[in-house]
Amino acid sequence: NAPTNAPTNAPTNAPTNVPTPEPTNVSTKAHTNAPTASAPVPLVIAGDNGTPTESFPLGLCEGDCDNDGQCRYGLFCFQRDGTESVPGCEGTGQSAKDYCSKCPENYLCTFGDEGLPVGSFPLGECQGDCDDDGECAPGLMCFQRDGTEEVPGCSGLGESGRDYCYDPNNTVSPSASPSSKPPPTSAPTKVPSHAPTNSPTPPPVDIIDPRSGIDTVTCPPVGGGEYDLPDGLKLFKLSGMNEFCGVFIRMSSGNLIPFARSYDSGVWEPAAGPHACLQKDITCNTDGSGVTLCGLNLPSLVNSTLAGSTYVIITKDGNIDQSSKIAAFLEMTTFGPTKSEIDSLNNIWDDIARANYIRSQMDMPATSHREYYRRRVNTKWDATQQSARSDHPCSPNSKWRKYAFIK
């Protein structure tokens, strides 16, 4: 039974001395959350401003994205000013166009949501969106955020409101004094800068549904300057208390035209002026967690009388002093405030004080403002000519005055 030194003409039927290993039940390599590429993928433009909708979210080396949420899970939007090289991609693409690229290590990136896709969970370090610690890999925890708070051990801002897994052994210690460095940008910088940028970076933008590509715009901080907004449908968060947040049309001349506004945490509404949006174009909804978003479309200005203009969003401090609050109240409830009346009320000005003022006015004898006005302005003349009479202020011979009584 010794083995022969020459090969046989047909396969032997005798069993081998070592059993054949059975197939394994699990994959030998870990599943990747983003497509891998053995060779660079060419840069291509697949859409712009979320259209066509079937192209979004964008795949690897596809542009033009505006934020990470417009890229598929495991990718981020590589922002460019010119034709900078995009990691993992081939070619220069179109100048100033942004392309989706694989997320670098320890950079905040969304790999899934609500436990899907299953292959992405549990999430690794700096990966989101997690809902609790159980959706993170062993040893990691879910860092809950309301906006773009820094995640220990991770770079980038991520998507506002998204939660990311982190290593609790990485800590972020507050500095003893404010940093002199510029704030972090929303994507890794390609080339280290030598000085802070002269203009602010865009405000945080969420994506409610990665497949729809609808931007959710957060009002910038008070004093943070103005931010450009691309046209198209947007979901706007409400302003903060004692804040005014407005969308304006910035003309090429530099003038601002009001378009829409939200103040004191109120829902968005049309601004004043002929170029403001319409009330019927604003739709506000509140989700189960109490967050209100208002849908508002910013029409293209390219073929309009405002061609060359852009949309901007600005936040202003809405706090006013007590005298101004009293003046605003009297403007709404009387024929106009006077300095003496403001001074008389400028002590304690609360709900009780306002109610007492209304009650005191109601208890006063009724007077005719029309009679008071006509008696002092439209009196008849003791002269041989046409008598003055109450008429439209633009009518011939009307005798209206361009002033109001305040004392």
Side-chain angles (χ1 to χ4, degrees):
N1 293 330
T4 60
N5 294 325
T8 60
N9 294 323
T12 58
N13 294 323
T16 60
N17 295 325
V18 181
T20 305
E22 296 181 359
T24 58
N25 294 321
V26 294
S27 59
T28 55
K29 287 190 176 182
H31 173 77
T32 58
N33 294 306
T36 57
S38 57
V41 179
L43 293 172
V44 294
I45 295 295
D48 191 16
N49 286 331
T51 57
T53 55
E54 59 268 18
S55 296
F56 288 80
L58 300 171
L60 181 65
C61 303
E62 292 182 348
D64 182 27
C65 55
D66 297 318
N67 48 69
D68 295 352
Q70 290 187 339
C71 298
R72 293 177 187 171
Y73 290 145
L75 305 177
F76 81 107
C77 186
F78 190 88
Q79 305 283 341
R80 310 196 309 168
D81 298 320
T83 57
E84 297 94 325
S85 176
V86 180
C89 302
E90 186 177 45
T92 58
Q94 295 186 27
S95 179
K97 293 292 186 179
D98 308 319
Y99 296 84
C100 296
S101 177
K102 291 178 64 177
C103 286
E105 186 177 0
N106 295 331
Y107 176 75
L108 291 177
C109 215
T110 301
F111 280 73
D113 190 18
E114 301 291 339
L116 297 174
V118 176
S120 295
F121 290 80
L123 299 168
E125 187 174 5
C126 303
Q127 296 179 2
D129 181 20
C130 57
D131 296 319
D132 50 57
D133 296 347
E135 290 188 338
C136 298
L140 303 180
M141 299 177 64
C142 184
F143 191 91
Q144 304 286 338
R145 312 193 310 168
D146 296 321
T148 57
E149 297 92 327
E150 181 180 356
V151 178
C154 303
S155 61
L157 298 178
E159 296 181 51
S160 180
R162 293 280 194 184
D163 308 319
Y164 296 86
C165 297
Y166 77 107
D167 186 347
N169 295 319
N170 294 322
T171 59
V172 177
S173 301
S175 59
S177 59
S179 173
S180 59
K181 298 180 180 179
T185 57
S186 58
T189 53
K190 280 71 73 175
V191 180
S193 58
H194 299 289
T197 56
N198 294 324
S199 59
T201 54
V205 174
D206 299 340
I207 297 297
I208 296 302
D209 182 354
R211 291 166 296 280
S212 68
I214 300 179
D215 293 345
T216 301
V217 182
T218 303
C219 292
V222 174
E226 65 182 50
Y227 300 85
D228 291 340
L229 291 176
D231 55 29
L233 178 62
K234 303 285 184 292
L235 294 175
F236 288 86
K237 292 185 177 180
L238 307 184
S239 68
M241 283 299 298
N242 299 319
E243 292 181 0
F244 168 88
C245 184
V247 174
F248 296 84
I249 300 174
R250 169 70 76 179
M251 300 180 64
S252 56
S253 63
N255 295 331
L256 288 174
I257 300 177
F259 185 76
R261 66 191 182 189
S262 168
Y263 57 92
D264 283 344
S265 297
V267 296
W268 282 82
E269 63 184 27
H275 296 288
C277 67
L278 301 177
Q279 184 64 57
K280 66 181 182 67
D281 295 331
I282 302 177
T283 304
C284 298
N285 293 290
T286 304
D287 61 20
S289 61
V291 176
T292 300
L293 296 174
C294 293
L296 175 60
N297 183 52
L298 307 183
S300 174
L301 303 172
V302 174
N303 296 320
S304 71
T305 57
L306 298 173
S309 304
T310 57
Y311 291 100
V312 296
I313 185 170
I314 304 173
T315 300
K316 297 289 186 180
D317 187 355
N319 284 302
I320 59 175
D321 58 30
Q322 183 166 285
S323 295
S324 298
K325 292 180 180 179
I326 296 173
F329 174 81
L330 295 176
E331 188 72 31
M332 294 185 292
T333 57
T334 69
F335 290 107
T338 64
K339 184 66 167 62
S340 59
E341 194 170 21
I342 294 174
D343 293 340
S344 67
L345 297 172
N346 197 8
N347 186 12
I348 298 177
W349 189 246
D350 53 16
D351 290 342
I352 296 176
R354 287 186 282 273
N356 289 338
Y357 176 85
I358 295 294
R359 173 54 60 188
S360 68
Q361 294 294 309
M362 295 176 65
D363 290 341
M364 294 174 63
T367 58
S368 172
H369 182 73
R370 182 171 180 268
E371 178 185 358
Y372 180 92
Y373 187 83
R374 291 183 64 188
R375 182 178 298 167
R376 288 160 175 78
V377 177
N378 271 338
T379 57
K380 291 185 179 295
W381 291 6
D382 294 330
T384 310
Q385 53 187 307
Q386 181 180 355
S387 300
R389 61 182 178 178
S390 178
D391 206 339
H392 191 277
C394 295
S395 297
N397 302 316
S398 62
K399 300 183 184 302
W400 294 75
R401 300 290 187 265
K402 294 182 179 179
Y403 60 82
F405 295 102
I406 61 173
K407 293 185 180 179

